[in-house]
Amino acid sequence: MIDSFRIVYQGGTGEIIEKKSRFIATVVPVNTEEEAITFIEQTKKKYYDANHNCFAYVIGDNNEIQRCSDDGEPVRTAGRPMLDVLLGEGIHNAALVVTRYFGGTLLGTGGLVRAYQGAAKEGLNNSVILEKLNGIKLQITTDYNGIGKLQYITSQMEITTLDTEYTDIVVMTNLVPIELYEQFEKKVVEATNGKAVIINSGNVSYAIMNHSVLIL
């Protein structure tokens, strides 16, 4: 499993004008190819009077699915350049349509590539992009002698703490990035002389937005 990658949390739109041609980008998050196709068809209906509705989408933790279309523009001047923007930005699970209203002046191959990529970047700039992290949710139970040590370890390793309950014992719930799990667990065991009880609640995908944790 990949430790982290970038996703579109909230889609957006952007527009640029090149020699009187309008290029309107629409970006949305998608989890399946069916969702991507539905979005593309809806966008084509919305901009039914446009000259072109070119698209690109990437789906999967490893971007296993990659598709693009020039929709009548010269080959590899629209869809592929748009796909390259998504891949170059490290975006996963997103679909992008760039709609063109022809302004009467030919842009040439290079001009089209620059315009479609520029519109794609503008759409992404107006979207909310987050770093999706794959981690493990841990519940750690300790006594009051151990809580200070746990707080030091989580601060030192920049581990996210979801909750801390104080009764006759202390129960701390953490989200630990997968790549730090073994190191974190070892430090907790050593710091508490094996007295802390660690419960693995399974894998969780999450992101940090405005200093708050979002479970995805």
Side-chain angles (χ1 to χ4, degrees), residues 41-109:
E41 292 304 317
Q42 290 174 342
T43 306
K44 286 183 176 181
K45 288 180 181 179
K46 179 179 179 180
Y47 297 108
Y48 68 93
D49 57 341
N51 299 93
H52 306 279
N53 283 289
C54 307
F55 69 79
Y57 58 85
V58 288
I59 298 170
D61 287 2
N62 296 292
N63 282 338
E64 296 89 347
I65 299 175
Q66 302 178 19
R67 302 281 186 271
C68 61
S69 168
D70 296 309
D71 192 36
E73 292 282 31
V75 177
R76 298 179 72 84
T77 61
R80 182 66 219 191
M82 291 159 54
L83 181 61
D84 287 342
V85 169
L86 292 176
L87 295 174
E89 294 289 334
I91 303 293
H92 294 243
N93 298 334
L96 161 68
V97 172
V98 174
T99 301
R100 182 189 184 190
Y101 286 92
F102 182 55
T105 302
L106 296 175
L107 300 182
T109 300

Side-chain angles (χ1 to χ4, degrees), residues 40-181:
I40 292 164
E41 292 304 317
Q42 290 174 342
T43 306
K44 286 183 176 181
K45 288 180 181 179
K46 179 179 179 180
Y47 297 108
Y48 68 93
D49 57 341
N51 299 93
H52 306 279
N53 283 289
C54 307
F55 69 79
Y57 58 85
V58 288
I59 298 170
D61 287 2
N62 296 292
N63 282 338
E64 296 89 347
I65 299 175
Q66 302 178 19
R67 302 281 186 271
C68 61
S69 168
D70 296 309
D71 192 36
E73 292 282 31
V75 177
R76 298 179 72 84
T77 61
R80 182 66 219 191
M82 291 159 54
L83 181 61
D84 287 342
V85 169
L86 292 176
L87 295 174
E89 294 289 334
I91 303 293
H92 294 243
N93 298 334
L96 161 68
V97 172
V98 174
T99 301
R100 182 189 184 190
Y101 286 92
F102 182 55
T105 302
L106 296 175
L107 300 182
T109 300
L112 285 173
V113 170
R114 288 190 294 273
Y116 277 101
Q117 287 194 325
K121 291 177 181 178
E122 189 68 15
L124 289 176
N125 287 340
N126 293 324
S127 301
V128 178
I129 309 296
L130 296 179
E131 188 80 10
K132 179 181 177 181
L133 304 167
N134 290 314
I136 298 173
K137 187 176 181 181
L138 293 182
Q139 189 178 72
I140 305 172
T141 302
T142 184
D143 55 26
Y144 279 81
N145 292 324
I147 187 60
K149 298 172 184 177
L150 291 183
Q151 290 171 335
Y152 174 76
I153 293 170
T154 55
S155 175
Q156 184 184 51
M157 297 183 66
E158 298 183 349
I159 302 298
T160 298
T161 298
L162 293 177
D163 186 39
T164 305
E165 296 181 18
Y166 297 89
T167 55
D168 55 324
I169 57 174
V170 183
V171 180
M172 178 183 282
T173 304
N174 299 105
L175 283 177
V176 183
I178 289 176
E179 70 273 18
L180 297 178
Y181 170 66

